[in-house]
Amino acid sequence: SQMHADGWAVDGPTTVALLLPTEVQPSRNEVALEVCLDVSAVTVVDSQGASVVADDRRDIQSMRITVEQAKSSPTGFLIALIDGRTDGPECAS
């Protein structure tokens, strides 16, 4: 919401380099996924067209996504949480 309000635009594909289910919580109907995303082709520019991507942004981003069972979803699951991570499987850089 803030990026849109600031007039920023995101362009380019994000590619999943790794998707690994690592933790299942049957009692809570949750699954944790370790993810590595390749964002090397993603650009973010401000309203004047200047890049706002940090010079030190890594091309591969590591994160943990928690999905939970949801009857309202056509797939049966919805994303409950997306968070950066420093543990788990290593992402190639």
Side-chain angles (χ1 to χ4, degrees):
S1 296
Q2 187 62 51
M3 290 172 60
H4 178 72
D6 292 341
W8 291 10
V10 179
D11 189 38
T14 298
T15 306
V16 176
L18 173 77
L19 178 64
L20 182 64
T22 57
E23 186 178 338
V24 177
Q25 296 288 337
S27 63
R28 296 193 323 220
N29 297 321
E30 288 183 353
V31 177
L33 306 169
E34 306 299 328
V35 182
C36 298
L37 293 180
D38 183 341
V39 296
S40 60
V42 175
T43 60
V44 184
V45 295
D46 65 17
S47 60
Q48 307 303 310
S51 176
V52 292
V53 174
D55 291 336
D56 62 348
R57 178 186 77 178
R58 293 176 173 236
D59 287 342
I60 306 291
Q61 303 288 313
S62 58
M63 60 185 55
R64 181 171 292 115
I65 299 175
T66 302
V67 295
E68 58 186 28
Q69 195 169 22
K71 292 179 183 178
S72 63
S73 169
T75 65
F77 287 89
L78 291 173
I79 294 173
L81 179 67
I82 299 174
D83 205 5
R85 65 177 174 84
T86 56
D87 60 345
E90 188 174 329
C91 294
S93 50

